[in-house]
Amino acid sequence: MLITGANFTTGAGIGFTVSLLVAELSFDHASPEGSNAKVAILLASLISSALASILLSIRNAQYKAIEAQESIDADGDGIPDVYEADDGTL
């Protein structure tokens, strides 16, 4: 099953919300442990989103390089050169 962006984002949002709910139910409102748990959850969310942004930027740069290579058609025959054999055949 392919995970689409919308499904992944929804799942991440649900996981974040459930983590906050569990922390809320596990500790008293005024306890330092409850506050520490909420801060830890928020920091983990920020760190994971920063790492995901870095990884996706690297991946997108690689895909752009591949797309640029696949779009070269030096002989102008309408078929990208990467898909042709050295002798010009498919």
Side-chain angles (χ1 to χ4, degrees):
M1 179 178 175
L2 182 64
I3 298 176
T4 62
N7 289 339
F8 183 74
T9 304
T10 303
I14 291 171
F16 175 75
T17 304
V18 170
S19 297
L20 288 174
L21 175 65
V22 169
E24 185 74 27
L25 295 174
S26 299
F27 304 108
D28 289 335
H29 273 290
S31 72
E33 292 87 5
S35 297
N36 290 342
K38 289 178 188 177
V39 169
I41 292 167
L42 291 172
L43 282 176
S45 177
L46 289 174
I47 291 169
S48 67
S49 64
L51 288 174
S53 296
I54 291 168
L55 290 174
L56 288 174
S57 296
I58 293 169
R59 185 199 67 165
N60 287 343
Q62 291 173 343
Y63 282 165
K64 282 182 183 180
I66 291 169
E67 193 274 330
Q69 182 182 12
E70 288 182 344
S71 65
I72 297 172
D73 185 19
D75 56 3
D77 63 355
I79 300 171
D81 295 340
V82 72
Y83 298 113
E84 294 180 329
D86 291 336
D87 62 358
T89 62
L90 296 178

